[in-house]
Amino acid sequence: QAQLVESGGGLVQAGGSLRLSCVGDGRIFSSHFMGWFRQVAGKEREFVASISWTGITTNYDDSVKGRFTISRDNAKNTVYLQMNSLKAEDTAIYYCAARAVGVSQYDVWGQGTQVTVSS
């Protein structure tokens, strides 16, 4: 069973920064798109950012463009989410996910890491 493990969440003041990390096993980082999602209690999980296996193609939700940066280090089996200029509305549980090339759905998920931004 492929696994993803997130870390780096925590409590930060508005305007501050955090960097999330997600480590997976080699089967994932050899051929998968990686994404970050977030969820607030009582709301649906929402897309934040994604990155292709090569790292060349990235996509962001409009709400985080210009503030968040997704990157990956395939040698370390790790994907990152650098979050700057954090806002209270960024507070959520952040999940890392993977999907194979040619597959439309993300089918491997981490357990999530809590990010809390105080205003």
Side-chain angles (χ1 to χ4, degrees), residues 26-37:
R27 291 174 294 165
I28 293 177
F29 280 85
S30 63
S31 61
H32 282 60
F33 283 86
M34 300 299 298
W36 285 97
F37 293 75

Side-chain angles (χ1 to χ4, degrees), residues 38-45 91-93 95 114:
R38 64 187 180 186
Q39 187 170 25
V40 177
K43 295 187 177 181
E44 290 190 359
R45 190 174 299 182
T91 295
I93 298 174
Y95 297 90
Q114 176 70 49

Side-chain angles (χ1 to χ4, degrees), residues 44-55:
E44 290 190 359
R45 190 174 299 182
E46 64 178 19
F47 170 79
V48 175
S50 66
I51 188 167
S52 62
W53 173 70
T54 61

Side-chain angles (χ1 to χ4, degrees), residues 37-115:
F37 293 75
R38 64 187 180 186
Q39 187 170 25
V40 177
K43 295 187 177 181
E44 290 190 359
R45 190 174 299 182
E46 64 178 19
F47 170 79
V48 175
S50 66
I51 188 167
S52 62
W53 173 70
T54 61
I56 293 175
T57 303
T58 58
N59 289 288
Y60 298 91
D61 183 77
D62 286 346
S63 65
V64 306
K65 279 182 181 176
R67 300 188 299 122
F68 290 11
T69 302
I70 189 171
S71 62
R72 66 190 297 164
D73 185 339
N74 289 341
K76 296 182 179 180
N77 294 341
T78 304
V79 62
Y80 304 98
L81 186 68
Q82 178 66 44
M83 306 186 294
N84 299 328
S85 302
L86 282 162
K87 306 175 181 179
E89 51 263 42
D90 294 319
T91 295
I93 298 174
Y94 283 71
Y95 297 90
C96 174
R99 66 175 177 89
V101 174
V103 175
S104 61
Q105 299 294 322
Y106 285 85
D107 56 359
V108 182
W109 293 84
Q111 82 289 348
T113 185
Q114 176 70 49
V115 171

